[in-house]
Amino acid sequence: MSIGVIYLARYAEGPEPMLRFVESYERYPAGIDHDLIIVYKGFPRWSPSFRGIFRRIKHRALAMADESFDIGAYRLASEQISHQLICCFNTFTEIESGDWLRKLHAALAEPSIGIAGATASYESFRESVRAISKAVWFAIHGTPFDAEVAELWGHEIIKHAPNPDSPIYGADAVTIEAEFERAWNLTNPAVLTMPGYPNPNIRSNGFMMARNDFLNFTPKIITTKEHTYGIESGHNSLTARIVSRGQRAVVVGANGLIYDQQDWPNSDTFRRNRQRNKLFSDNQTRDYDKMSPARKRLMEQWTWGEQFVEVKHITRLPNWWEPLPFSPGWFV
């Protein structure tokens, strides 16, 4: 079956990730015939660009405005090619294993399989956003500094200043938590209606599926980031649509093995065991590599669910909270 490999080159991300992809594409043979389609996204017409990076590899070029997010770019390319199968990469992708496309294709060659990806997750976007929001909420409203919370959430908390003018600033933890629940229930409906945990989904980078399925399962117009989250991990995600018609959604490791849904955590491809079996790396896998041990443990819990909890350190706040002024230690 003919294969189109779609790589999204987004101008706003700069030349470094594109060069990383090209070098890895040259380093690791795909192992099977294919056509490479580069989607030049948001490239200015007359100013200097990074297109020269791709001159050394054979490809077909498509251009689009910087809109519709990654999924929109994959869809634009899919509409303009005639290949039976597509494999889609975002700007930050780096190939990590030889025969990478052959390994994915071997999975799709089985009629029982409808989508194959290099990485997957059980994560609930709704619950992850809720946990982050709750940690930030407590910091904004005067909860004193706590080392565990700061280690896990400092990268989010530092974006938000405390608000002494809040009517609940410095209140007891029970009041602050009750107000959080009220505010959370008023948040974006697109987030509130996302599936809870566990929510098995193939990540929307480094995946392979039938082009016609992708076109049938994605909308022509994609306007919001929440919309893309729904396509990846919503109730009607690509994975959910494939599974609902009786086919399997699988992960393929660098070792060439196929992992069914119940075996995804043991594939060692994403947020576990140094991700040592991944076919591709991207910004998400590299971010995980840089995390503190505590943060890695939290990400593993979110992704795979071992001893999954909402946010332990928030639910135990009444045990250690004192009505003290906001601590500047949050922002160190």
Side-chain angles (χ1 to χ4, degrees), residues 160-180:
H160 304 273
N163 181 19
D165 294 329
S166 166
I168 61 168
Y169 182 82
D172 62 273
V174 173
T175 298
I176 293 177
E177 185 156 17
E179 285 299 302
F180 169 78

Side-chain angles (χ1 to χ4, degrees), residues 14 19 38 80 95 127 166 228 286 301:
L19 183 60
I38 306 292
Q80 298 189 39
I95 299 165
E127 296 305 319
S166 166
T228 67
R286 287 190 285 272
Q301 288 176 353

Side-chain angles (χ1 to χ4, degrees), residues 27-44:
R27 185 181 311 119
Y28 294 108
I32 192 170
D33 289 339
H34 66 281
D35 294 312
L36 177 64
I37 299 95
I38 306 292
V39 181
Y40 293 97
K41 192 168 188 273
F43 276 65

Side-chain angles (χ1 to χ4, degrees), residues 131-146 149 153-154 156-172 176-177 179-180 183 314 317 320-321 324-328 330-331:
I132 294 170
S133 300
K134 196 170 186 179
V136 170
W137 178 272
F138 271 84
I140 288 173
H141 291 100
T143 304
F145 177 76
D146 176 82
V149 183
W153 303 107
E156 291 291 338
I157 292 169
I158 203 168
K159 302 174 187 176
H160 304 273
N163 181 19
D165 294 329
S166 166
I168 61 168
Y169 182 82
D172 62 273
I176 293 177
E177 185 156 17
E179 285 299 302
F180 169 78
I314 294 298
L317 270 174
W320 57 263
W321 191 91
L324 299 174
F326 189 91
S327 170
W330 282 113
F331 298 95

